[in-house]
Amino acid sequence: METKYIFVTGGVTSSLGKGIISASLAKLLQARGYRVTIQKFDPYINIDPGTLNPYEHGECYVTVDGHEADLDLGHYERFTNVETTRANNITTGRIYQNVIEKERRGDYLGKTVQIIPHITDEIKRNVKLLGTKNQYDFVITEIGGTVGDIESLPFLESVRQLKWELGKNCMVVHLTYVPYIAAAKELKTKPTQHSVKHLQEVGIQPDILVLRTEHELTADVRRKVALFCNVDPSAVFQSIDVPSVFEVPLRMQDQGLDEIVLQKVGLPVGEKPALAPWKEFLNKIYNATEIVTIGIVGKYVELQDAYKSINEALFQAATYNNRKLKLEFIHSEKLTNENVASQLKDLDGIVIAPGFGNRGIEGKFVALKYARENNVPTFGICLGMQCMVIEFARNVLGYDDANSTEMDVKTKHNVIDLMEEQKSVSNYGGTMRLGAYECTLTQGSKAAKAYGSTDIKERHRHRFEFNSDYRAEFEKAGMKCVGENPETHLVEVVEIPELNWFIGTQYHPEYTSTVLKPNPLFVDFIKAAIENKKN
Ligand code: GLN
């Protein structure tokens, strides 16, 4: 079958949930047996979001092949269970970089290099790459930003060209907003009309409209939008606020979004898939009444997307343990020995967040000391694991100045140190130890029991590591290194077996946790937190 290309664009405002609509459509097509992948184009100039502050762009997601990616790729994986790669997230910066490299190599010798056709050709090549190379039936491409943005223009021009070239094998789903004016008690379609006009001005006629709304759309509103926007009334969908984003695929299925897509690309519609495991997950969400309270200790507490994948992994794990997750964000900069007990006493489990740099680091040690001494289930992730090691060195091994050389280059007790291969690195972008690596777990360790295996593979994003010179000393004092890379012996997992659940991972297990396949370590952590609550 020829690959079908679906573009998802947005108008009126950002944050309408293009990522969730893309992921939901992918889910529905996948449930009908198609191979689907989702790609995100980001119009900014950064080569990738790896160098972006979470305040700017939320969490940085990491793919198996070590690409630092937009957090929407996390939604794609959580919804579809299909791994994404470097090819699934392209920025304007990368498009330009490729074109400029080609120009320097002499690929365009004699020609003036221009936005059209050179930049647009490069964009088109990157769209088709996933179709031709990996043989997907559907490639869904989400265009970041909103129509009308200067930055989005080359992407939209490429979409226009592809629609022309691919005919029936290509379509555009446009997402807009329908505001409700309370004083007039009316839903307003004008912003939608304007945003479709914008698309039409750049030569794109959307095939399907998805209207984001807080109130049910009347048949009248749909007819009006269809009439003004040259779209079939049956191709106007509503995306209304729902209690859980995981309901969106079902709401889209109810309205027949996947059916319209199949009709438009000329594929048989067939039977409606039951989506049984997905519905079961939703039932678990809605039926859970007992609460499990988890605190995340970090420095980005005012930012809901900074720890997105961790929140989601905890949510999945809680759901599979039939619990409602209550997340508390604890500002590590504000934690002191004086207030720690009052801040953490109501938590059933504690996550020490990943991160970079000195800010808020001392608060993480305060939290860890409290958690260790009070036997609270605790999960250290990446920097969180490194903090577990440092806190143990300071308060158990008695090295008051123990630290990571990231925080103090001159520390005498560098229990966390720069990895050897990082010592020659000078560029910041894309140079960390990134992506999936194998890890061997010690038979009988809590971590191995949680995974039900001693051979695992998880994703990484770090420059510093456990300093193996100290390994014997830590192990003697009760902190065991129970996971290591089979080739380099880099320490990947530490735990204190004496405690109920005190595990730190150098890797980020949250990136592999999906709705239908939650990460086992998170599931086990929540189980321990529930036990802790009972006692
Ligand atoms: N800053 C630490 C390092 O580079 C941890 C990184 C992280 O938490 N992702 O090793």
Side-chain angles (χ1 to χ4, degrees):
M1 157 178 155
E2 279 178 311
T3 306
K4 318 288 178 199
Y5 295 89
I6 303 176
F7 293 94
V8 178
T9 57
V12 185
T13 161
S14 56
S15 304
L16 292 179
K18 267 182 298 181
I20 298 294
I21 291 293
S22 304
S24 299
L25 177 56
K27 180 85 223 161
L28 294 179
L29 292 169
Q30 192 187 44
R32 290 173 181 271
Y34 294 108
R35 294 160 309 161
V36 189
T37 188
I38 319 174
Q39 178 185 46
K40 172 97 193 264
F41 276 159
D42 279 309
Y44 52 74
I45 314 283
N46 306 60
I47 299 294
D48 59 49
T51 54
L52 285 173
N53 185 324
Y55 285 107
E56 296 267 330
H57 215 73
E59 155 192 286
C60 174
Y61 189 74
V62 179
T63 61
V64 257
D65 62 341
H67 181 64
E68 295 176 283
D70 185 84
L71 56 75
D72 270 324
L73 271 73
H75 291 309
Y76 305 162
E77 292 204 14
R78 286 188 288 272
F79 272 63
T80 64
N81 250 329
V82 175
E83 284 178 349
T84 54
T85 64
R86 184 173 299 276
N88 293 75
N89 190 196
I90 316 277
T91 66
T92 293
R94 244 174 87 200
I95 296 289
Y96 272 79
Q97 189 183 44
N98 290 346
V99 168
I100 290 168
E101 269 168 18
K102 285 183 192 165
E103 188 276 334
R104 290 291 82 181
R105 229 178 21 229
D107 291 11
Y108 310 116
L109 222 50
K111 289 267 179 292
T112 309
V113 180
Q114 295 179 299
I115 292 183
I116 306 170
H118 302 99
I119 295 296
T120 47
D121 278 353
E122 181 61 20
I123 293 172
K124 282 155 63 182
R125 190 180 71 80
N126 277 283
V127 173
K128 287 188 177 163
L129 212 57
L130 283 168
T132 47
K133 254 202 186 157
N134 300 333
Q135 296 304 321
Y136 287 105
D137 300 319
F138 283 90
V139 176
I140 299 177
T141 303
E142 180 189 345
I143 311 283
T146 40
V147 296
D149 296 348
I150 291 179
E151 307 179 308
S152 307
L153 280 174
F155 290 112
L156 294 178
E157 167 59 14
S158 309
V159 173
R160 184 193 67 77
Q161 292 178 19
L162 281 170
K163 255 198 124 196
W164 175 249
E165 288 163 23
L166 297 169
K168 232 180 148 71
N169 288 333
C170 180
M171 70 162 74
V172 172
V173 177
H174 186 58
L175 198 65
T176 74
Y177 182 54
V178 178
Y180 180 75
I181 306 293
K185 295 198 178 62
E186 255 183 82
L187 285 161
K188 291 295 183 188
T189 63
K190 196 64 104 190
T192 296
Q193 296 176 36
H194 278 298
S195 113
V196 172
K197 279 256 151 58
H198 251 307
L199 266 184
Q200 290 167 338
E201 271 167 28
V202 295
I204 298 172
Q205 171 60 49
D207 300 279
I208 291 174
L209 295 177
V210 179
L211 312 185
R212 191 80 175 74
T213 172
E214 279 129 44
H215 298 265
E216 288 281 340
L217 298 186
T218 59
D220 220 34
V221 168
R222 287 182 205 235
R223 261 197 307 275
K224 192 165 164 190
V225 168
L227 177 71
F228 278 103
C229 302
N230 299 348
V231 174
D232 303 329
S234 63
V236 180
F237 295 86
Q238 74 171 14
S239 167
I240 196 162
D241 285 359
V242 279
S244 160
V245 291
F246 303 110
E247 227 184 277
V248 178
L250 302 180
R251 296 293 79 83
M252 291 299 134
Q253 190 188 42
D254 295 343
Q255 299 174 70
L257 176 65
D258 50 339
E259 292 179 14
I260 290 280
V261 167
L262 292 171
Q263 278 166 17
K264 287 196 184 282
V265 298
L267 286 171
V269 170
E271 261 175 58
K272 203 186 197 118
L275 296 171
W278 194 268
K279 286 182 182 157
E280 215 169 285
F281 179 76
L282 261 176
N283 282 339
K284 276 188 184 296
I285 297 177
Y286 294 141
N287 292 336
T289 47
E290 282 180 73
I291 288 174
V292 61
T293 310
I294 303 295
I296 299 187
V297 179
K299 62 178 172 181
Y300 296 116
V301 290
E302 57 288 78
L303 201 66
Q304 55 161 342
D305 278 349
Y307 305 117
K308 186 71 188 163
S309 294
I310 295 178
N311 303 353
E312 293 289 326
L314 288 169
F315 177 74
Q316 290 150 10
T319 304
Y320 279 102
N321 275 294
N322 302 309
R323 289 295 186 284
K324 235 185 172 64
L325 175 69
K326 185 164 168 227
L327 264 188
E328 304 267 350
F329 291 95
I330 292 134
H331 205 314
S332 56
E333 279 183 287
K334 294 186 181 145
L335 268 185
T336 62
N337 283 320
E338 288 66 48
N339 68 16
V340 64
S342 70
Q343 293 240 12
L344 307 187
K345 69 174 190 323
D346 295 328
L347 303 176
D348 305 322
I350 299 173
V351 172
I352 309 293
F356 296 84
N358 247 318
R359 186 162 71 87
I361 197 90
E362 293 299 325
K364 289 186 174 171
F365 302 140
V366 169
L368 280 164
K369 179 164 187 282
Y370 172 90
R372 187 174 50 76
E373 291 177 349
N374 292 283
N375 203 357
V376 185
T378 304
F379 198 169
I381 301 177
C382 206
L383 179 64
M385 169 268 196
Q386 298 175 353
C387 288
M388 276 181 164
V389 170
I390 297 166
E391 190 279 329
F392 193 84
R394 288 186 185 180
N395 299 323
V396 179
L397 302 182
Y399 301 134
D400 291 346
D401 69 332
N403 217 332
S404 162
T405 47
E406 178 180 2
M407 316 303 160
D408 176 5
V409 256
K410 291 202 210 93
T411 174
K412 270 220 259 356
H413 296 97
N414 53 342
V415 290
I416 302 292
D417 205 358
L418 194 61
M419 284 182 279
E420 197 50 46
E421 74 256 28
Q422 285 288 325
K423 292 189 176 154
S424 56
V425 168
S426 55
N427 274 0
Y428 272 121
T431 55
M432 281 186 254
R433 177 170 179 253
L434 291 164
Y437 286 92
E438 273 165 27
C439 169
T440 310
L441 298 170
T442 308
Q443 193 96 48
S445 62
K446 282 194 168 42
K449 282 186 198 144
Y451 279 101
S453 166
T454 52
D455 300 301
I456 58 156
K457 211 170 180 180
E458 294 280 8
R459 303 182 203 173
H460 301 71
R461 183 171 186 246
H462 64 120
R463 291 185 206 283
F464 295 81
E465 64 173 331
F466 181 92
N467 181 348
S468 288
D469 294 349
Y470 288 93
R471 184 165 174 164
E473 217 176 322
F474 271 85
E475 300 215 321
K476 209 167 139 230
M479 183 178 269
K480 308 279 183 204
C481 301
V482 297
E484 62 173 47
N485 180 285
E487 278 152 37
T488 61
H489 302 293
L490 181 146
V491 173
E492 297 278 22
V493 188
V494 296
E495 69 181 42
I496 300 181
E498 286 296 293
L499 297 177
N500 288 337
W501 210 100
F502 202 85
I503 300 179
T505 61
Q506 183 56 77
Y507 54 77
H508 291 261
E510 67 273 23
Y511 294 142
T512 54
S513 200
T514 69
V515 168
L516 297 184
K517 213 164 148 268
N519 183 285
L521 210 47
F522 276 93
V523 176
D524 200 58
F525 167 63
I526 294 290
K527 212 160 144 201
I530 294 168
E531 277 306 307
N532 173 41
K533 186 179 182 162
K534 282 191 197 143
N535 303 325

PDB file of all heavy atoms in Angstrom, residues 353-357 381-384 386 406-407 416 419 432 461-465 506 508, ligand 1:
ATOM      1  N   ALA A 353      13.824  14.433  41.368  1.00  0.00           N
ATOM      2  CA  ALA A 353      13.767  14.708  39.933  1.00  0.00           C
ATOM      3  C   ALA A 353      15.141  14.813  39.276  1.00  0.00           C
ATOM      4  O   ALA A 353      16.132  15.110  39.934  1.00  0.00           O
ATOM      5  CB  ALA A 353      13.001  16.002  39.710  1.00  0.00           C
ATOM      6  N   PRO A 354      15.182  14.605  37.968  1.00  0.00           N
ATOM      7  CA  PRO A 354      16.398  14.854  37.197  1.00  0.00           C
ATOM      8  C   PRO A 354      16.657  16.358  37.086  1.00  0.00           C
ATOM      9  O   PRO A 354      15.807  17.158  37.500  1.00  0.00           O
ATOM     10  CB  PRO A 354      16.083  14.292  35.808  1.00  0.00           C
ATOM     11  CG  PRO A 354      14.682  13.848  35.802  1.00  0.00           C
ATOM     12  CD  PRO A 354      14.071  14.127  37.124  1.00  0.00           C
ATOM     13  N   GLY A 355      17.784  16.717  36.546  1.00  0.00           N
ATOM     14  CA  GLY A 355      18.058  18.142  36.366  1.00  0.00           C
ATOM     15  C   GLY A 355      19.527  18.422  36.124  1.00  0.00           C
ATOM     16  O   GLY A 355      20.354  17.512  36.039  1.00  0.00           O
ATOM     17  N   PHE A 356      19.815  19.699  36.031  1.00  0.00           N
ATOM     18  CA  PHE A 356      21.175  20.146  35.752  1.00  0.00           C
ATOM     19  C   PHE A 356      21.512  21.312  36.651  1.00  0.00           C
ATOM     20  O   PHE A 356      20.641  22.146  36.934  1.00  0.00           O
ATOM     21  CB  PHE A 356      21.290  20.579  34.277  1.00  0.00           C
ATOM     22  CG  PHE A 356      21.068  19.436  33.338  1.00  0.00           C
ATOM     23  CD1 PHE A 356      19.789  19.058  32.979  1.00  0.00           C
ATOM     24  CD2 PHE A 356      22.134  18.699  32.854  1.00  0.00           C
ATOM     25  CE1 PHE A 356      19.570  17.976  32.136  1.00  0.00           C
ATOM     26  CE2 PHE A 356      21.932  17.620  32.012  1.00  0.00           C
ATOM     27  CZ  PHE A 356      20.641  17.256  31.652  1.00  0.00           C
ATOM     28  N   GLY A 357      22.761  21.388  37.082  1.00  0.00           N
ATOM     29  CA  GLY A 357      23.226  22.564  37.797  1.00  0.00           C
ATOM     30  C   GLY A 357      22.889  22.575  39.274  1.00  0.00           C
ATOM     31  O   GLY A 357      22.169  21.728  39.792  1.00  0.00           O
ATOM     32  N   ILE A 381      15.882   9.757  40.010  1.00  0.00           N
ATOM     33  CA  ILE A 381      16.025   9.600  38.563  1.00  0.00           C
ATOM     34  C   ILE A 381      17.119  10.525  38.049  1.00  0.00           C
ATOM     35  O   ILE A 381      17.053  11.738  38.229  1.00  0.00           O
ATOM     36  CB  ILE A 381      14.692   9.879  37.839  1.00  0.00           C
ATOM     37  CG1 ILE A 381      13.608   8.900  38.345  1.00  0.00           C
ATOM     38  CG2 ILE A 381      14.861   9.769  36.326  1.00  0.00           C
ATOM     39  CD1 ILE A 381      12.237   9.124  37.758  1.00  0.00           C
ATOM     40  N   CYS A 382      18.123   9.939  37.432  1.00  0.00           N
ATOM     41  CA  CYS A 382      19.249  10.652  36.824  1.00  0.00           C
ATOM     42  C   CYS A 382      19.934  11.550  37.859  1.00  0.00           C
ATOM     43  O   CYS A 382      20.571  11.040  38.759  1.00  0.00           O
ATOM     44  CB  CYS A 382      18.813  11.393  35.570  1.00  0.00           C
ATOM     45  SG  CYS A 382      20.191  11.621  34.431  1.00  0.00           S
ATOM     46  N   LEU A 383      19.762  12.876  37.808  1.00  0.00           N
ATOM     47  CA  LEU A 383      20.362  13.701  38.850  1.00  0.00           C
ATOM     48  C   LEU A 383      19.846  13.260  40.229  1.00  0.00           C
ATOM     49  O   LEU A 383      20.580  13.311  41.217  1.00  0.00           O
ATOM     50  CB  LEU A 383      20.049  15.187  38.621  1.00  0.00           C
ATOM     51  CG  LEU A 383      20.607  16.148  39.660  1.00  0.00           C
ATOM     52  CD1 LEU A 383      22.135  16.137  39.662  1.00  0.00           C
ATOM     53  CD2 LEU A 383      20.103  17.563  39.437  1.00  0.00           C
ATOM     54  N   GLY A 384      18.619  12.796  40.279  1.00  0.00           N
ATOM     55  CA  GLY A 384      18.034  12.306  41.535  1.00  0.00           C
ATOM     56  C   GLY A 384      18.819  11.128  42.079  1.00  0.00           C
ATOM     57  O   GLY A 384      19.055  11.016  43.289  1.00  0.00           O
ATOM     58  N   GLN A 386      21.990  10.544  41.338  1.00  0.00           N
ATOM     59  CA  GLN A 386      23.299  11.085  41.723  1.00  0.00           C
ATOM     60  C   GLN A 386      23.214  11.735  43.106  1.00  0.00           C
ATOM     61  O   GLN A 386      24.134  11.620  43.924  1.00  0.00           O
ATOM     62  CB  GLN A 386      23.773  12.084  40.657  1.00  0.00           C
ATOM     63  CG  GLN A 386      23.973  11.433  39.278  1.00  0.00           C
ATOM     64  CD  GLN A 386      24.321  12.419  38.166  1.00  0.00           C
ATOM     65  OE1 GLN A 386      24.293  13.630  38.367  1.00  0.00           O
ATOM     66  NE2 GLN A 386      24.639  11.900  36.993  1.00  0.00           N
ATOM     67  N   GLU A 406      29.940  18.242  38.792  1.00  0.00           N
ATOM     68  CA  GLU A 406      29.067  19.206  38.107  1.00  0.00           C
ATOM     69  C   GLU A 406      28.778  20.397  39.023  1.00  0.00           C
ATOM     70  O   GLU A 406      28.642  21.525  38.568  1.00  0.00           O
ATOM     71  CB  GLU A 406      27.741  18.523  37.710  1.00  0.00           C
ATOM     72  CG  GLU A 406      26.743  19.468  37.039  1.00  0.00           C
ATOM     73  CD  GLU A 406      25.422  18.801  36.639  1.00  0.00           C
ATOM     74  OE1 GLU A 406      25.236  17.600  36.913  1.00  0.00           O
ATOM     75  OE2 GLU A 406      24.578  19.496  36.049  1.00  0.00           O
ATOM     76  N   MET A 407      28.683  20.121  40.321  1.00  0.00           N
ATOM     77  CA  MET A 407      28.320  21.164  41.284  1.00  0.00           C
ATOM     78  C   MET A 407      29.568  21.801  41.907  1.00  0.00           C
ATOM     79  O   MET A 407      29.547  22.955  42.305  1.00  0.00           O
ATOM     80  CB  MET A 407      27.457  20.587  42.419  1.00  0.00           C
ATOM     81  CG  MET A 407      26.356  19.653  41.954  1.00  0.00           C
ATOM     82  SD  MET A 407      25.251  20.443  40.770  1.00  0.00           S
ATOM     83  CE  MET A 407      24.520  19.001  39.992  1.00  0.00           C
ATOM     84  N   ILE A 416      30.364  11.520  42.314  1.00  0.00           N
ATOM     85  CA  ILE A 416      29.797  11.595  40.969  1.00  0.00           C
ATOM     86  C   ILE A 416      30.776  12.434  40.145  1.00  0.00           C
ATOM     87  O   ILE A 416      31.147  13.533  40.551  1.00  0.00           O
ATOM     88  CB  ILE A 416      28.399  12.274  40.959  1.00  0.00           C
ATOM     89  CG1 ILE A 416      27.404  11.533  41.863  1.00  0.00           C
ATOM     90  CG2 ILE A 416      27.877  12.400  39.529  1.00  0.00           C
ATOM     91  CD1 ILE A 416      26.989  10.142  41.392  1.00  0.00           C
ATOM     92  N   MET A 419      31.929  11.769  32.996  1.00  0.00           N
ATOM     93  CA  MET A 419      32.318  10.543  32.284  1.00  0.00           C
ATOM     94  C   MET A 419      33.547  10.810  31.438  1.00  0.00           C
ATOM     95  O   MET A 419      33.710  11.906  30.897  1.00  0.00           O
ATOM     96  CB  MET A 419      31.164  10.094  31.368  1.00  0.00           C
ATOM     97  CG  MET A 419      30.033   9.433  32.110  1.00  0.00           C
ATOM     98  SD  MET A 419      28.755   8.874  30.984  1.00  0.00           S
ATOM     99  CE  MET A 419      27.876  10.385  30.714  1.00  0.00           C
ATOM    100  N   MET A 432      25.525  14.841  25.076  1.00  0.00           N
ATOM    101  CA  MET A 432      25.485  14.028  26.294  1.00  0.00           C
ATOM    102  C   MET A 432      25.499  12.538  25.944  1.00  0.00           C
ATOM    103  O   MET A 432      25.443  12.172  24.772  1.00  0.00           O
ATOM    104  CB  MET A 432      24.214  14.356  27.083  1.00  0.00           C
ATOM    105  CG  MET A 432      24.343  15.629  27.876  1.00  0.00           C
ATOM    106  SD  MET A 432      22.920  15.914  28.907  1.00  0.00           S
ATOM    107  CE  MET A 432      22.127  17.217  28.027  1.00  0.00           C
ATOM    108  N   ARG A 461      20.266  10.448  29.457  1.00  0.00           N
ATOM    109  CA  ARG A 461      20.592  11.824  29.074  1.00  0.00           C
ATOM    110  C   ARG A 461      21.443  12.429  30.191  1.00  0.00           C
ATOM    111  O   ARG A 461      20.926  13.043  31.123  1.00  0.00           O
ATOM    112  CB  ARG A 461      19.305  12.640  28.883  1.00  0.00           C
ATOM    113  CG  ARG A 461      19.527  14.055  28.427  1.00  0.00           C
ATOM    114  CD  ARG A 461      18.225  14.729  28.052  1.00  0.00           C
ATOM    115  NE  ARG A 461      18.462  16.032  27.476  1.00  0.00           N
ATOM    116  CZ  ARG A 461      18.095  17.177  28.049  1.00  0.00           C
ATOM    117  NH1 ARG A 461      17.451  17.184  29.195  1.00  0.00           N
ATOM    118  NH2 ARG A 461      18.355  18.321  27.469  1.00  0.00           N
ATOM    119  N   HIS A 462      22.718  12.208  30.134  1.00  0.00           N
ATOM    120  CA  HIS A 462      23.584  12.725  31.205  1.00  0.00           C
ATOM    121  C   HIS A 462      25.051  12.816  30.774  1.00  0.00           C
ATOM    122  O   HIS A 462      25.447  12.236  29.767  1.00  0.00           O
ATOM    123  CB  HIS A 462      23.478  11.831  32.455  1.00  0.00           C
ATOM    124  CG  HIS A 462      23.980  10.425  32.239  1.00  0.00           C
ATOM    125  ND1 HIS A 462      25.011   9.890  32.962  1.00  0.00           N
ATOM    126  CD2 HIS A 462      23.611   9.450  31.376  1.00  0.00           C
ATOM    127  CE1 HIS A 462      25.240   8.646  32.569  1.00  0.00           C
ATOM    128  NE2 HIS A 462      24.401   8.355  31.603  1.00  0.00           N
ATOM    129  N   ARG A 463      25.820  13.578  31.570  1.00  0.00           N
ATOM    130  CA  ARG A 463      27.270  13.687  31.346  1.00  0.00           C
ATOM    131  C   ARG A 463      28.075  13.098  32.505  1.00  0.00           C
ATOM    132  O   ARG A 463      29.240  12.797  32.373  1.00  0.00           O
ATOM    133  CB  ARG A 463      27.693  15.163  31.250  1.00  0.00           C
ATOM    134  CG  ARG A 463      27.204  15.873  30.031  1.00  0.00           C
ATOM    135  CD  ARG A 463      27.774  17.295  29.955  1.00  0.00           C
ATOM    136  NE  ARG A 463      26.876  18.135  29.193  1.00  0.00           N
ATOM    137  CZ  ARG A 463      26.780  18.113  27.872  1.00  0.00           C
ATOM    138  NH1 ARG A 463      27.544  17.317  27.162  1.00  0.00           N
ATOM    139  NH2 ARG A 463      25.916  18.883  27.243  1.00  0.00           N
ATOM    140  N   PHE A 464      27.433  13.008  33.669  1.00  0.00           N
ATOM    141  CA  PHE A 464      28.154  12.587  34.877  1.00  0.00           C
ATOM    142  C   PHE A 464      27.737  11.172  35.256  1.00  0.00           C
ATOM    143  O   PHE A 464      26.697  10.689  34.818  1.00  0.00           O
ATOM    144  CB  PHE A 464      27.878  13.580  36.011  1.00  0.00           C
ATOM    145  CG  PHE A 464      28.426  14.949  35.712  1.00  0.00           C
ATOM    146  CD1 PHE A 464      27.730  15.834  34.901  1.00  0.00           C
ATOM    147  CD2 PHE A 464      29.671  15.332  36.197  1.00  0.00           C
ATOM    148  CE1 PHE A 464      28.250  17.085  34.585  1.00  0.00           C
ATOM    149  CE2 PHE A 464      30.204  16.585  35.890  1.00  0.00           C
ATOM    150  CZ  PHE A 464      29.496  17.462  35.082  1.00  0.00           C
ATOM    151  N   GLU A 465      28.569  10.528  36.073  1.00  0.00           N
ATOM    152  CA  GLU A 465      28.286   9.134  36.434  1.00  0.00           C
ATOM    153  C   GLU A 465      28.802   8.836  37.842  1.00  0.00           C
ATOM    154  O   GLU A 465      29.608   9.593  38.395  1.00  0.00           O
ATOM    155  CB  GLU A 465      28.983   8.191  35.446  1.00  0.00           C
ATOM    156  CG  GLU A 465      30.507   8.321  35.513  1.00  0.00           C
ATOM    157  CD  GLU A 465      31.263   7.301  34.670  1.00  0.00           C
ATOM    158  OE1 GLU A 465      30.742   6.197  34.463  1.00  0.00           O
ATOM    159  OE2 GLU A 465      32.390   7.621  34.245  1.00  0.00           O
ATOM    160  N   GLN A 506      20.376   5.847  36.915  1.00  0.00           N
ATOM    161  CA  GLN A 506      21.086   6.849  36.124  1.00  0.00           C
ATOM    162  C   GLN A 506      20.294   7.138  34.847  1.00  0.00           C
ATOM    163  O   GLN A 506      20.333   8.210  34.291  1.00  0.00           O
ATOM    164  CB  GLN A 506      22.507   6.347  35.802  1.00  0.00           C
ATOM    165  CG  GLN A 506      23.363   7.330  35.042  1.00  0.00           C
ATOM    166  CD  GLN A 506      23.497   8.657  35.746  1.00  0.00           C
ATOM    167  OE1 GLN A 506      24.232   8.804  36.706  1.00  0.00           O
ATOM    168  NE2 GLN A 506      22.756   9.669  35.290  1.00  0.00           N
ATOM    169  N   HIS A 508      16.568   7.210  32.522  1.00  0.00           N
ATOM    170  CA  HIS A 508      15.227   7.782  32.686  1.00  0.00           C
ATOM    171  C   HIS A 508      14.174   6.735  32.314  1.00  0.00           C
ATOM    172  O   HIS A 508      13.789   6.655  31.148  1.00  0.00           O
ATOM    173  CB  HIS A 508      15.045   8.975  31.744  1.00  0.00           C
ATOM    174  CG  HIS A 508      15.857  10.173  32.091  1.00  0.00           C
ATOM    175  ND1 HIS A 508      15.334  11.245  32.784  1.00  0.00           N
ATOM    176  CD2 HIS A 508      17.151  10.484  31.836  1.00  0.00           C
ATOM    177  CE1 HIS A 508      16.273  12.159  32.939  1.00  0.00           C
ATOM    178  NE2 HIS A 508      17.388  11.732  32.373  1.00  0.00           N
TER     179      HIS A 508
HETATM  180  N1  GLN B   1      23.176  16.798  35.404  1.00  0.00           N
HETATM  181  C1  GLN B   1      23.363  15.396  35.480  1.00  0.00           C
HETATM  182  C2  GLN B   1      24.306  14.867  34.418  1.00  0.00           C
HETATM  183  O1  GLN B   1      24.529  15.488  33.434  1.00  0.00           O
HETATM  184  C3  GLN B   1      22.030  14.668  35.418  1.00  0.00           C
HETATM  185  C4  GLN B   1      21.272  14.882  34.164  1.00  0.00           C
HETATM  186  C5  GLN B   1      19.817  14.515  34.267  1.00  0.00           C
HETATM  187  O2  GLN B   1      19.252  14.494  35.346  1.00  0.00           O
HETATM  188  N2  GLN B   1      19.189  14.285  33.137  1.00  0.00           N
HETATM  189  O3  GLN B   1      24.830  13.791  34.553  1.00  0.00           O
END
